[in-house]
Amino acid sequence: DHGEEFLEHDLITHCRGIWDTVTRVPLILRIPGVEGGRRISAAAANIDIVPTIVDYLGISGGDFDFEGTTLRPLIEGRENGPRYAFSDQGRYRSVDDGRYHLILDAGTGSFSLLDVRTEPLELIDLYTEDHPEASQLGTALNQWLGDIGQRFRLDRALAEAKAKEEELRAL
């Protein structure tokens, strides 16, 4: 479900960052009736797996309240628009479109923009306010933060995450 950091970003910890070394993992599906192998580079998330399986089983998704969405149009080559995967870990929030990865460090309010295709270790920050990908991904990230109730309460969400971490350490 996730990778590990081995000092790529000065971290050697478990579940502390949201760089691709931690969040990008292969998803391999074998779907009866879908022929041939495909490699799809678009962003997807673990929360999309169950809606995809339900869709291929022919079960009405309207009976369930999924956070994710089916990957079927993507798998069958019928999806054209941008697709985003979002991450939330500690003080970091991010959005990934399969190529570019925009990371918000909510502790400092700073952003990083990384091109995972040309630089997979994500060590070279391309962020500028006028970078077109930063603008597009920033809009998607802000929308997602609003959807999960953090757009205007990010400081509160960070305090809650820190309190939960301290509670877990106490256990």
Side-chain angles (χ1 to χ4, degrees), residues 104-152:
L104 165 63
D105 180 338
T108 64
S110 63
F111 287 94
S112 297
L113 180 66
L114 308 144
D115 183 340
V116 299
R117 285 194 193 152
T118 62
E119 209 271 308
L121 289 180
E122 297 182 302
L123 300 174
I124 300 171
D125 186 359
L126 305 173
Y127 181 79
T128 60
E129 286 187 24
D130 59 344
H131 193 291
E133 300 301 329
S135 176
Q136 181 178 350
L137 291 172
T139 298
L141 181 61
N142 195 41
Q143 175 66 46
W144 177 70
L145 289 172
D147 292 347
I148 65 170
Q150 291 186 14
R151 183 181 299 139
F152 301 107

Side-chain angles (χ1 to χ4, degrees), residues 18-30:
I18 55 173
W19 293 273
D20 270 20
T21 49
V22 176
T23 61
R24 188 175 296 259
V25 294
L27 171 61
I28 301 169
L29 300 172
R30 182 180 181 282

Side-chain angles (χ1 to χ4, degrees), residues 38 40 42-44 70-79 81 83:
R38 295 178 187 88
I40 299 169
T70 181
L71 298 172
R72 189 172 189 164
L74 186 65
I75 292 166
E76 296 177 359
R78 296 181 284 118
E79 185 168 288
R83 183 170 190 83

